Amino acid sequence: MIQRNPPLADCAYVLPRPGRRREGLRISRDGKGRQTMKSLILMGAAAALAFAGPSFAADHQVKMQNKGEKGAMVFEPDFIQAVTGDTVTFVIVDKGHNAETIKGMVPEGAEPFKGKINEEIKITLEQEGVWGVKCTPHYGMGMVALIKVGEAAASEEAQAVKHPGKAKTKMAELLAQTAQ
């Protein structure tokens, strides 16, 4: 006798095979390689985890400009609040700029970076802390930015860095934002 619906005690849910009568979810534990509901749930969970990581990271776009909302020779925005894993892309809007870390203003264990003039640079923020950034040709004109990763405050070393010209005032304002 052919049994269409086996007893529930020894079964699992499976999807119908293509080309067969559509019965919706069927019950079977016949060992013929059919995918059980449990394996489908596990595959779905694995796929969700595989795609979950990168979706949480943000890419912050920072424009390097000759003139912006805060005046001449600026990074916009000049203060970035980020989390570990985020990226920051320094975008060339006007020629003659670069983005480079300021000596003494890099989180402990982090690698400093130095972009070339007229080239976009993208960095990944892997350590918590405060990153000071400058445009080398316009540093004295106040072209600086600050990236705060996580909740870490600016280190004493970062606060003690001496800046030329307008960068001194501007960096003091940016450092004050890290305490907020």
Side-chain angles (χ1 to χ4, degrees):
M1 181 165 128
I2 299 175
Q3 190 175 19
R4 285 206 177 278
N5 294 318
L8 290 175
D10 59 275
C11 55
Y13 290 98
V14 296
L15 294 175
R17 289 186 176 171
R20 290 195 173 186
R21 242 179 7 168
R22 183 147 182 118
E23 299 175 9
L25 290 176
R26 242 176 39 121
I27 300 174
S28 174
R29 230 189 247 254
D30 59 6
K32 294 183 180 177
R34 296 180 185 170
Q35 289 188 318
T36 64
M37 184 60 80
K38 182 178 177 180
S39 67
L40 290 173
I41 291 170
L42 289 174
M43 287 189 309
L49 287 174
F51 293 108
S55 66
F56 293 119
D59 181 33
H60 304 271
Q61 302 281 313
V62 178
K63 299 175 188 172
M64 297 184 273
Q65 302 179 179
N66 291 343
K67 186 168 173 79
E69 291 179 22
K70 293 186 177 182
M73 305 304 169
V74 293
F75 288 107
E76 283 190 354
D78 58 3
F79 182 81
I80 298 101
Q81 176 69 56
V83 297
T84 304
D86 283 1
T87 58
V88 178
T89 304
F90 292 92
V91 180
I92 299 292
V93 174
D94 298 308
K95 291 186 177 190
H97 302 290
N98 79 325
E100 174 183 351
T101 51
I102 298 170
K103 187 175 181 177
M105 297 191 78
V106 178
E108 188 177 324
E111 287 291 319
F113 63 87
K114 182 177 183 175
K116 295 179 180 177
I117 302 289
N118 298 328
E119 286 190 17
E120 182 176 287
I121 183 172
K122 184 174 191 169
I123 60 164
T124 302
L125 305 167
E126 296 177 351
Q127 283 87 7
E128 283 199 14
V130 175
W131 299 73
V133 181
K134 67 180 178 180
C135 170
T136 305
H138 305 111
Y139 186 28
M141 297 175 74
M143 192 166 177
V144 293
L146 203 65
I147 304 168
K148 181 181 178 186
V149 182
E151 295 303 315
S155 68
E156 287 181 26
E157 181 184 9
Q159 293 179 24
V161 171
K162 303 289 184 209
H163 304 280
K166 290 183 180 179
K168 181 178 182 177
T169 307
K170 192 149 184 198
M171 189 55 75
E173 292 170 5
L174 295 172
L175 285 167
Q177 289 183 29
T178 65
Q180 297 175 0

